[in-house]
Amino acid sequence: MKGSLIILSFFALGLILGVTNSLPEFLLKTDFSMYALYILMFLVGIGIGADRKSWKVIRTINVKIFLVPLGVMVGTAIGVTIVSLFLPDLSVREAMAVGAGYGYYSLSSIFITQMHGQTLGVMALLSNIIREVATLLLTPLFVKYFGKLAGIMSGGATAMDTTLPIITRYSGKDYAIISLFSGIVLTILVPVIITFILHTSL
């Protein structure tokens, strides 16, 4: 949760500086988000490629484990579609793009900002941070009332890192591999699915 609060603090600081025109002119006129996206994608690739434990998990898993990230994707798509019905200014396509961040707020918000605009990018940032924070706070209740996979489903892409400890604590160490695998798959798919959704008319 500390990391999420730091991210929000930097976002709020940038928002305040932008609104008050307290930054040099070249910072206001230059779009740095694309460069940030390039760097972020590079670092994500390094992180996944260098994590030998992740590759070992992928090589040793049972085919049925793919149902977990698939369930996250299907459940998220259904959920955001229902939510979009109550938000007339938000199309189903836009809602699905926001949901397709699967908690990976940094990457998804930059992608969506570049492909669709800043407003939807901010929505993606806040929505996916809320998803991560909700997982950190509510996993005990999710596990108690919905089963041991519930925390993994809620965590989405974050189930491989930031929410993994809380998931393991309440679901058990036996679910750590499932959580790690699901998070890895969703992390890899975030840019692919967002790009597909925003280039497809729904």
Side-chain angles (χ1 to χ4, degrees):
M1 186 183 299
K2 181 180 178 182
S4 299
L5 293 176
I6 292 173
I7 293 290
L8 275 176
S9 297
F10 273 101
F11 170 73
L13 177 61
L15 186 65
I16 293 170
L17 292 176
V19 170
T20 58
N21 291 321
S22 302
L23 296 170
E25 192 70 18
F26 80 94
L27 284 177
L28 297 174
K29 290 187 175 181
T30 305
D31 183 10
F32 289 100
S33 60
M34 180 59 75
Y35 300 107
L37 177 59
Y38 293 151
I39 295 171
L40 184 57
M41 288 300 294
F42 177 68
L43 294 175
V44 169
I46 290 176
I48 294 175
D51 192 342
R52 304 304 178 192
K53 183 179 178 181
S54 299
W55 290 109
K56 184 178 180 180
V57 168
I58 291 175
R59 288 196 300 268
T60 58
I61 48 84
N62 187 294
V63 175
K64 290 182 180 179
I65 202 173
F66 280 97
L67 293 176
V68 178
L70 178 61
V72 175
M73 290 187 286
V74 172
T76 299
I78 293 173
V80 296
T81 299
I82 293 173
V83 169
S84 70
L85 299 178
F86 299 93
L87 300 172
D89 294 331
L90 189 69
S91 69
V92 173
R93 179 172 64 93
E94 292 170 334
M96 291 185 70
V98 170
Y102 305 122
Y104 198 166
Y105 49 80
S106 54
L107 181 61
S108 62
S109 60
I110 294 176
F111 250 92
I112 292 173
T113 296
Q114 283 295 321
M115 299 178 66
H116 193 279
Q118 293 181 349
T119 300
L120 196 65
V122 171
M123 290 180 62
L125 174 67
L126 298 177
S127 297
N128 284 289
I129 286 179
I130 290 171
R131 179 171 188 160
E132 178 185 296
V133 172
T135 302
L136 291 170
L137 295 177
L138 301 177
T139 287
L141 294 177
F142 291 158
V143 171
K144 181 178 179 179
Y145 292 106
F146 302 106
K148 293 188 175 182
L149 288 174
I152 299 174
M153 296 289 188
S154 173
T158 69
M160 68 174 284
D161 43 49
T162 55
T163 60
L164 179 59
I166 193 75
I167 291 170
T168 303
R169 179 178 178 183
Y170 288 96
S171 293
K173 293 182 179 179
D174 294 342
Y175 284 79
I177 292 179
I178 298 175
S179 182
L180 181 62
F181 175 79
S182 179
I184 292 170
V185 171
L186 293 170
T187 296
I188 293 172
L189 290 179
V190 164
V192 177
I193 295 177
I194 289 177
T195 300
F196 175 77
I197 290 173
L198 292 179
H199 283 92
T200 304
S201 299
L202 297 177

